[in-house]
Amino acid sequence: MPEKPEPILLRGGRVIDPGRGLDEVADVLLVDGRVQDVGQPGTPDGAVVRDVSGQVVVPGLVDVHVHLREPGGEHKETIATGARAAIVGGFTSVCAMPNTDPPIDDPAAVGFVRAEGMRAGAARVYPVGAVSVGLEGERLALIGEMVEEGAVAITDDGRPVSDSGLMRLALEYTQSFDIPVADHCEDRTLSRNGSMNEGVVSTRLGITGIPKAAEEVMIARDLILAEMTGGHIHIQHVSTRRGVELIRQAKERGVRVTAEGTPHHFTLTEDAVDGYRTEAKVNPPLRTADDVAAVREGLADGTLDCIATDHAPHHYDEKEQAFEDAPFGLVGLETALGLGLTELVDGGVLTLPQLIDHMSRAPAGAFHLDAGTLAPGAVADVTVFDPAAEWTVDPAAFVSKSRNTPFAGRKLRGQATLTIVGGRIVWDRVRGVESLKNLLPRRDG
Ligand code: DOR
């Protein structure tokens, strides 16, 4: 039997539960790994009481797009280090992409990710299976069997599903399991060997560009196929104005589509790669100020449902190569909440409840995860953050194994102070990394 966690009373915080329209100062009582009450529940015997006045208490944050690199890329990140970086950033659930080596394209590999995630005892780790065997884009992977082992979605992320017939099949077949097909939208006949956004900056730097159309053509195709099949398409990391607009129109027509915006795409433009800064090399690439504005508008009106990090750890040596040779990707788990609060809430783009909706309820809903609410009886996954904490991004202090961030030295406001998974405090900023040393393996499913 799993050991029962002690009851926890979070006293006096601003409790925001977007799914129930709740935003009030209240106490939150967690008993036996569940939310027992939100309001004035009193203090049961033996409860751990934490005064969280001045802080914000929300359903645990959910990131549906992370790369944990295990198996095969353990020098960049492991499932355990990634799950720890997640709780430090305030995430209680993360969805692990299958572009590992070997890829997560069969039930045994899915079971491995799930088991390692549980062993890590930090954030919950939900495996995402591949669409195609070997991520090769030719034959459908064993989707039903992967779902039985715990896959919550499928994607070939890192690569697009280029074969439209295969995407059609995936969208048809996944309806039996009610899981989304997530797509990294990129027409590779258009992106070819580009390394950054195609435009003035790429021309000045002499770097081959990736046109916006490479992403937009594929988004349009996916939306047409989702409409035709009735399947659920989830568009990953949308980076262009037309991409946002295509999704907005499809939603108006009732297409089953959900979509993500990333912190880097709502914060940075292509100018961040100036100086050949490989930390800002990411796919899809950072675009123009107008595209950043469009991603923000998409989040504000709900066209983009989720904020997802696309946490993509890479080793220093790999990022130190010439710009064209360096891999795409940047880490995001430990900076996402601060960027959301600073750029979107302080920036007047979203209200605080809207930000939490995008970082918890909506992603949980899109991937059908048991998360995203503080309703009585819900799993006690809770994030507490200090909205006023000012801090400076210091990659050397990351818990992630990798430090490839374009946000080093940036001043942010807002930081997770307590992260609770299944009723257990797994991250306590007062104790710092000490609190990570005794993480108990979670034994629940
Ligand atoms: O920048 C990226 N990095 N984009 C992707 O699609 C894949 C990811 C990775 O795996 O490094």
Side-chain angles (χ1 to χ4, degrees):
M1 281 291 285
E3 294 162 38
K4 283 195 174 167
E6 293 167 306
I8 299 174
L9 183 77
L10 302 171
R11 184 174 278 162
R14 174 179 171 189
V15 182
I16 297 178
D17 188 1
R20 296 189 297 146
L22 188 82
D23 181 359
E24 63 188 35
V25 173
D27 297 347
V28 175
L29 178 62
L30 312 174
V31 177
D32 291 345
R34 302 255 156 203
V35 178
Q36 175 142 320
D37 203 356
V38 176
Q40 302 299 326
T43 313
D45 288 347
V48 175
V49 179
R50 300 294 296 247
D51 178 1
V52 293
S53 47
Q55 305 203 35
V56 183
V57 181
V58 299
L61 306 183
V62 176
D63 189 348
V64 294
H65 193 150
V66 305
H67 297 270
L68 300 185
R69 306 297 189 212
E70 193 178 350
E74 291 84 352
H75 60 297
K76 303 177 190 229
E77 194 80 286
T78 65
I79 290 170
T81 59
R84 288 173 178 215
I87 54 176
V88 172
F91 291 96
T92 55
S93 294
V94 295
C95 296
M97 294 298 111
N99 64 336
T100 51
D101 183 14
I104 310 303
D105 67 352
D106 67 21
V110 168
F112 167 78
V113 172
R114 210 165 69 89
E116 286 303 300
M118 262 186 263
R119 228 156 64 91
R124 296 176 196 276
V125 177
Y126 290 98
V128 175
V131 172
S132 66
V133 176
L135 303 173
E136 281 171 359
E138 285 166 13
R139 284 180 297 128
L140 269 193
L142 294 170
I143 295 168
E145 288 84 345
M146 291 196 295
V147 171
E148 244 168 65
E149 278 300 319
V152 295
I154 55 170
T155 182
D156 276 356
D157 180 58
R159 303 178 183 181
V161 177
S162 295
D163 184 317
S164 301
L166 191 74
M167 180 52 99
R168 175 193 179 170
L169 269 183
L171 285 165
E172 280 170 347
Y173 194 51
T174 45
Q175 290 175 59
S176 332
F177 311 107
D178 203 18
I179 58 164
V181 181
D183 201 16
H184 164 115
C185 289
E186 177 183 351
D187 181 330
R188 291 208 156 169
T189 65
L190 286 167
S191 58
R192 295 214 179 253
N193 49 2
S195 300
M196 66 172 293
N197 184 47
E198 181 178 293
V200 182
V201 184
S202 66
T203 306
R204 182 158 49 76
L205 295 178
I207 294 175
T208 308
I210 301 174
K212 297 178 194 181
E215 184 175 341
E216 295 158 353
V217 162
M218 204 58 119
I219 292 176
R221 182 209 69 176
D222 282 356
L223 295 170
I224 290 167
L225 292 176
E227 191 161 17
M228 166 187 166
T229 58
H232 174 180
I233 188 79
H234 177 82
I235 308 287
Q236 300 179 295
H237 42 47
V238 180
S239 76
T240 78
R241 176 170 290 283
R242 194 188 277 127
V244 174
E245 185 52 33
L246 285 164
I247 295 164
R248 185 176 288 122
Q249 289 164 1
K251 283 193 165 182
E252 280 163 13
R253 293 198 304 278
V255 178
R256 284 183 70 200
V257 53
T258 50
E260 303 165 357
T262 73
H264 45 283
H265 290 119
F266 68 60
T267 304
L268 298 175
T269 68
E270 58 191 348
D271 291 337
V273 305
D274 215 346
Y276 303 93
R277 291 187 58 211
T278 58
E279 315 91 85
K281 180 178 176 183
V282 64
N283 193 9
L286 302 171
R287 308 280 191 186
T288 66
D290 183 56
D291 296 302
V292 171
V295 170
R296 291 175 172 222
E297 287 160 24
L299 287 166
D301 74 5
T303 299
L304 304 180
D305 310 76
C306 315
I307 291 173
T309 65
D310 193 5
H311 177 81
H314 287 295
H315 194 264
Y316 177 78
D317 292 347
E318 294 158 300
K319 278 290 197 181
E320 275 297 285
Q321 301 177 90
F323 194 87
E324 282 90 338
D325 299 330
F328 290 103
L330 48 92
V331 289
L333 283 168
E334 293 171 74
T335 47
L337 177 61
L339 285 165
L341 290 165
T342 309
E343 293 292 322
L344 301 180
V345 178
D346 290 354
V349 178
L350 300 180
T351 63
L352 190 48
Q354 278 177 316
L355 177 75
I356 302 310
D357 193 62
H358 285 306
M359 296 188 77
S360 182
R361 189 207 58 84
F367 279 43
H368 309 296
L369 308 181
D370 188 9
T373 173
L374 294 175
V379 171
D381 289 1
V382 184
T383 301
V384 182
F385 61 90
D386 179 351
E390 290 187 0
W391 60 289
T392 303
V393 178
D394 173 13
F398 282 169
V399 169
S400 167
K401 262 196 179 183
S402 291
R403 308 191 176 325
N404 51 304
T405 176
F407 296 113
R410 200 174 183 99
K411 290 197 171 16
L412 297 178
R413 220 143 73 91
Q415 206 170 34
T417 49
L418 273 184
T419 306
I420 298 173
V421 176
R424 289 191 179 83
I425 296 174
V426 287
W427 168 245
D428 182 349
R429 187 163 295 279
V430 173
R431 295 180 57 219
V433 286
E434 274 303 305
S435 72
L436 299 175
K437 290 197 174 133
N438 302 321
L439 286 180
L440 279 179
R442 255 200 350 265
R443 289 172 216 158
D444 53 339

